[in-house]
Amino acid sequence: MSKTEIFFEGNPSLKLPLLTFIEKAVPGARDRIRVRLGKNKEETIKDFLRAMAETPKVRLVLLVDSDLPDDGTLFNKLKETTVWKKHASGTIAADRVNWMVQIMEAWFVVDEPALKSYYAKTFRSKALPKRKNVELVPKSEVLDGLKRASNGKYDKVAHAPKILDRLTPETVRARAPNCDRFLKFVAK
């Protein structure tokens, strides 16, 4: 397994839980991974592209919300954005870009035991989306299901780090193909 730097959009409180999630999926990975957090999606992409230009021999990977379903053209759509056109230099392989489809919370809604352990008695699993491939569920439905399942308590900043820390990678990988793809990349 190679050393990897992951450019991740999100609140700094997500850094350690993301590392924990990866370590559960890929034992020994924590010592070989560095997570670099961006302020927002655009800044994260810009930081990733800058690092790709400045340190081409370092194994870098981008992990951001897709905000759209994965129709096989997410990478091409990203390359058409202003931030990519402005900051990309050279060719960047598609496997260096990974997605939380359509948002990070899609990972949460597939792991009912993790949510139940966090929300305890107030948790209502019937409110969660049940689609086998959670990445096909629109982000508004994911967020609505999570809000209803938590009796309106879900708060991204306060709860996401604690929920991410509880997730079981095998459960998430089974219903989120892009999560599986990301963890396979990290394991190389």
Side-chain angles (χ1 to χ4, degrees):
M1 181 180 356
S2 305
K3 288 195 178 225
T4 304
E5 288 189 30
I6 300 168
F7 288 76
F8 179 66
E9 84 175 281
N11 187 295
S13 64
L14 293 169
K15 184 175 181 175
L16 185 57
L18 178 65
L19 284 167
T20 300
F21 177 76
I22 293 168
E23 174 72 17
K24 287 182 210 173
V26 184
R30 186 178 293 228
D31 296 332
R32 295 188 164 114
I33 290 176
R34 179 176 174 214
V35 174
R36 297 176 63 175
L37 293 168
K39 294 177 188 174
N40 57 45
K41 187 175 189 172
E42 188 171 295
E43 288 296 317
T44 304
I45 293 168
K46 191 181 342 176
D47 292 346
F48 166 73
L49 292 172
R50 187 178 304 117
M52 287 294 289
E54 294 171 359
T55 56
K57 296 187 183 210
V58 176
R59 190 167 184 261
L60 307 173
V61 63
L62 176 68
L63 179 63
V64 291
D65 292 344
S66 71
D67 297 319
L68 300 166
D70 184 2
D71 61 0
T73 64
L74 288 174
F75 184 62
N76 290 333
K77 288 176 184 169
L78 177 63
K79 291 192 306 185
E80 293 302 315
T81 63
T82 303
V83 69
W84 192 276
K85 286 180 179 181
K86 186 175 179 181
H87 298 282
S89 62
T91 303
I92 298 172
D95 70 344
R96 296 294 185 100
V97 177
N98 285 264
W99 307 99
M100 292 174 285
V101 181
Q102 299 178 26
I103 53 174
M104 175 183 60
E105 284 84 356
W107 293 8
F108 299 175
V109 301
V110 301
D111 196 336
E112 290 183 26
L115 289 170
K116 186 169 184 150
S117 75
Y118 184 73
Y119 289 109
K121 295 177 181 177
T122 62
F123 179 67
R124 300 183 321 198
S125 66
K126 290 182 181 183
L128 296 174
K130 301 297 182 195
R131 196 173 231 169
K132 171 106 174 98
N133 181 344
V134 73
E135 295 178 355
L136 298 174
V137 179
K139 67 187 237 176
S140 60
E141 288 180 34
V142 169
L143 292 172
D144 182 59
L146 190 54
K147 199 77 160 168
R148 286 186 292 116
S150 67
N151 271 326
K153 293 180 182 174
Y154 179 69
D155 176 89
K156 186 176 189 100
V157 174
H159 300 181
K162 296 169 186 163
I163 295 169
L164 180 58
D165 195 50
R166 294 168 189 249
L167 294 180
T168 304
E170 296 78 22
T171 301
V172 179
R173 292 174 99 160
R175 291 183 54 200
N178 280 284
C179 177
D180 183 56
R181 177 179 166 257
F182 166 69
L183 292 171
K184 284 177 180 173
F185 180 87
V186 171
K188 291 181 190 176

